[in-house]
Each structure stands twice: as C-alpha cells, then as structure tokens.
Amino acid sequence: MDEETERLDALTQQAGRWLALSASPAERHTTAVVAGPYDRVAWRDVYARSAALRELAAQLLTRHAHAPDLLADVFLCAYQAAPRLRDSTVMAPSRLLHHQVVTALTQSPGFAALRRDTAGDAYAAAMAVLAQASALRGLLERSREVRERTGRADRARQEAEAAAAAVGEALRQAAEKADGQGQVPAPVAAAVRRAVGAAEAAEDEARREDGAAAQAMAAAVPGIRSAARNAASAAAEAVRQEAALMRAWGVDAGETERMPFEERARLAERLRSGRLARWAELIGRFRQMAAGERARKVEHATGELVGVTLGDDLSRVIPSELAVLGVPELRAVFAARYAAGELMLYDSRGEQGTGRGAVIACVDTSHSMYAEGPGGVTREAWSKACALALLDQARHAGRDFVGILFSAADKLQVFRFPGDRPARVTDVLDFAETFLGGGTDFQRPLGTAAKMLEEEFDDASRARGDIVLITDDACEVSETWTRLWNEIKRRLDFRLFGIAIATPGTATASGSVLESLCDNLRTVDDLTDVHRAADLFRVI
C-alpha cells in the first residue's frame, strides 16, 4: 500500500461504531410522562390560560432552565388517570431530576387520592401544580448539585453525539476522495482517525459525567421523595378544600367542569376570598341538614293521635267500625255512614303540608348582624347559610325562590331565582355576600314579599307560598299595615316563619311584634347549631 494512501474499507471498519451512532443517535426525551396529543393540548391550553402557572414557571426558571418541562410532567401526573412514565434510560440527562420527581409523586401515598379529584379535569390538575409550588421551589433549591451534574452530563452526551456525527462526516469526505481502488489520501485518512479519537474521548467523558450525575441523583433521592410526599399532600389538601368549598356553595362537579377556565378560576378565587368564605363549612352543614330533612319528609303523614272524629277516610277508621263489616246484616249501615261521612276515625295532628308558591327568605342585614356568637359565627353567616339551604329546598321542589335583604326602611335588595331554570352561582354569591347595614324595618321587606306572592297568584294561580323572616331585632309595625297584612295573608293563604337570632326575650315574648306576625317562631342562641331550624325543611 502506498504510504500516502490508505484503503477506505479499513478506515470504515475502524470508525464503524461511530458511523452507526451518527446514523441513528439515541432519542433523548425531555418529558418523563408519556403523553398523547390530547394530553399535550390540555397542558398547552391550561398553561396559556393560567397566569398563575406562567408566573410560577418564570419563578422556577431562575433556578432551573427546564422548569416548564417539570411543570408539564407534574400536571400530566395529576391530569392522567393512570400516568405512564418513560424508562429513565431514554431521558435526556438534564431531565432525569424530573423523572425522579414524578416517580416519587406517583408513588407517594396521597397522590392516588389526589388523582380522584384531578384526573381528566385540567383546571383541578393545574391547581394541584400550583399547590405544589412551594415544595417545587424548595426541591430545586436543594437539588442544585444534581441539576449541575445532570446538566454537564447532558452537554457531554450532546458533545459525544456531535463527535460521532463528525466521524460520519469525515468518512463521507474520505469516500469522496477515494480513487477507483478504494485508496484514500493520507491527510483525509488522518482526519478520519482524529475524528474517531475525538469521538472516543467524548464518549469517555460522557460516561464519566453520567456516572457523576447518577451518584449525585442517588444522594438526592431521599430528599426528593420526602419533598414529593409533602407536595402531594399539599396538593391533595388544596384540591379537597376547593372541592368542599364548591360543594358547600352548591356548585356540583359537572357544572365546574363545563365552565371556561378563566370563569372557574375567578369563581374559586371569589369563594376563597368572599365575605362568607370562612363560613363555607357552616353553609355546607346547613345544606346537608336540609337534604337530610327532605329525605325524612313523609307527605300526608297522619301525625300525632289526639282523639276521634267523623269522616270517610278509610285509612283512619277505628277498629270497632271495621268490626261491623264482619256482620253481613250491618254492612249496609256501614256503607250508608261512609257515604254520609259519619264513620268514626282516629283524629291526628301533624305538620302542615308544604306550600306550592314561592319560598321567600327575608334576611336582616342591619349592623347588629355583624355580631358573633359561639364559635365566632356571626349572625349574618348563620342567616345566609339558612337562606341558601332554603334556596336548595325551593329548587328541589320546583318552587321559585326570592331572597330579600333588608335593614332600614330605605334599604332593601331583591334577588330572584325562578324554579324553572338553574341558579347561576354568581347570582347566588351576589345574594350571599350583599350586606346593607343600617337599622331594622319589617314593614317594607314583608310587604314586598307579600306583593310578590300576590303577583305569583295573579299570574300563575299559585297560592300557599312561604315567607321566612330571619332577624336579630324587633321593630314596631303600624296598625294600618298590620290590617292590610292580615287581609292579604288570608287571601293568599301563605305562611310566615320567624327565626329570631340571639334576640332578647322581650323580642319573642307573647304579644311581641314577631310573635303576633309569625305562624311559627323559633329562637336561635347557639349559632353553631344548624338543627335548630331543621323542622322548617320538613314543612317548607
């Protein structure tokens, strides 16, 4: 062989391994969670819509150059019903920390419970990411060495792949320079050998950096697992609290899932920061109590036995009357008395049947309703919780609901919720959060309620509405107003239930204004007790 030339096949054999690597470099993934196109679209969409997510990504970018990829993995873990992780060997070294984080998350005890609330719900999954923000910031701060080591390993691996590609390019040039017998000029052959040497050195360096990164990762694993457990617990608690808050306010899961992202985020923030946010648990208990009373309600119940009367209700005939049927000669007598309505029946006294007209809650929002009772519960909170449960009661029965907030004679606000359409949660919140302040006047709110029932009777022929007056005060009413009130009450056959909250005994004593106006009056002293009004939900 000429000293100035070398054969191409010998050079190709020397560089064969690097030639194969340059032809098909191993794929290095940047996300640890396997995601289909719909999952990726869900993440991109929620990221674009959530300013909080983008702000978190910007904060984490100051610590970690690949923070958006980490957030995407954490989101997908919560969003997917059964997250599937890639093998760590196909991950880009700089993303191995992400792989370890999501592995620890998916294996943490609280994450299965979290996914029950977040799987398939992009908003809830995004909230879970935000709930883990503090843990993620701390984790990235503590894993600085791991990030530096994996970053070096990533760069070394990229350099090794570039060196392998350089071998392929050198061989291509050698093939172009080869003559008909496969002889390659010596300078070109030397370039191939230098490329091979550089590739070997780069591969050795990549292996050393991989080893150093693996050691750093192994040392960091216990801390990552601990941080992941805390993050999963924080996320599960945040999602659970928001779900409970939504349920307390009567917002079902189906309704929130249909909401646009921005609207749902605004609603959640309003629920967390509104006037009655701290009383969500009380509101939820009220609604649960009302639902339980509805379940116990028995229509047309006979009630308490108080004596014997005459009539034709065969279900209440006393045994001695039934015994007559056993004597053939007396059956005609029984039939005659039945036709005349003169059978002896058990007489009972039960709760009055439910109404059919609107349910109207007149809620006092005078200054004194700010006052707190046991457990720090305000009179306003108890009143609004009771009113919201009455709204549920009306909707369950297909009845209209009207909330009238009142204080002084010149302060009144009306909220209407027709029974034939869903109640918008924002309207419910407007009703619950409005507070007028001032003194107390009964005539205007009760007169407004009676007028509404009169309009309902004229328009739809529905009578027997129910008014619930919730107040902590007493006030005088004029004789003229009282006469008109009694006239319209007799004509429309509605009922007025009164709830006196932490009022002095004179306000509810015999002969008081409240006692004379209300068909049914009860007092509430313990504002932590939702069962004091339980019987309302059996008769309204």
Side-chain angles (χ1 to χ4, degrees), residues 44 250 324 531:
R44 288 195 296 267
V324 171
H531 294 282

Side-chain angles (χ1 to χ4, degrees), residues 219-398:
V221 164
I224 292 173
R225 288 176 178 168
S226 176
R229 283 195 298 271
N230 293 337
S233 297
E237 179 62 17
V239 172
R240 186 197 65 78
Q241 287 183 356
E242 180 161 310
L245 196 60
M246 292 285 185
R247 286 193 299 271
W249 283 95
V251 185
D252 61 47
E255 184 178 356
T256 55
E257 288 174 7
R258 292 190 297 270
M259 283 183 182
F261 184 90
E262 298 91 339
E263 182 182 347
R264 184 170 174 184
R266 287 194 299 269
L267 172 61
E269 179 58 28
R270 186 175 178 184
L271 292 179
R272 284 192 294 267
S273 59
R275 280 181 59 83
L276 300 182
R278 59 186 287 216
W279 308 121
E281 190 269 341
L282 175 70
I283 294 169
R285 285 197 292 121
F286 241 111
R287 284 183 144 144
Q288 290 173 0
M289 178 273 292
E293 293 303 317
R294 282 197 297 273
R296 291 175 53 194
K297 184 186 295 186
V298 179
E299 299 292 343
H300 311 299
T302 57
E304 177 188 3
L305 178 64
V306 295
V308 175
T309 187
L310 299 179
D312 59 0
D313 185 351
L314 296 177
S315 66
R316 296 190 288 135
V317 174
I318 67 174
S320 61
E321 288 278 28
L322 292 175
V324 171
L325 293 175
V327 181
E329 293 81 1
L330 297 180
R331 289 174 185 171
V333 176
F334 181 93
R337 293 178 63 192
Y338 172 71
E342 295 179 351
L343 293 175
M344 287 190 293
L345 313 175
Y346 284 124
D347 190 14
S348 62
R349 178 176 59 206
E351 294 171 324
Q352 185 177 351
T354 57
R356 290 295 177 264
V359 176
I360 302 179
C362 296
V363 181
D364 187 348
T365 59
S366 59
H367 282 310
S368 58
M369 295 292 283
Y370 277 125
E372 294 184 356
V377 180
T378 65
R379 299 173 183 179
E380 179 200 7
W382 194 97
S383 301
K384 297 287 183 61
C386 182
L388 291 175
L390 288 169
L391 168 60
D392 287 349
Q393 189 82 353
R395 301 204 65 77
H396 186 269

Side-chain angles (χ1 to χ4, degrees), residues 14-15 17-18 21 159-160 163-164 167 193-208:
Q14 291 177 12
R17 176 189 173 200
W18 309 107
L21 288 175
E159 291 171 2
V167 172
R193 286 193 293 273
R194 286 196 299 274
V196 170
E200 289 176 345
E203 179 64 21
D204 289 342
E205 179 65 15
R207 279 197 290 267
R208 282 194 295 272

Side-chain angles (χ1 to χ4, degrees), residues 28 55 57 112 221 273 335 370 375 412 421 479 487 521:
R28 299 291 176 178
E55 181 180 348
V221 164
S273 59
Y370 277 125
L412 182 138
R421 69 194 70 158
E479 184 178 343
E487 289 175 0
L521 177 64

Side-chain angles (χ1 to χ4, degrees), residues 183-194:
Q183 301 296 324
V184 178
V188 177
V192 172
R193 286 193 293 273
R194 286 196 299 274

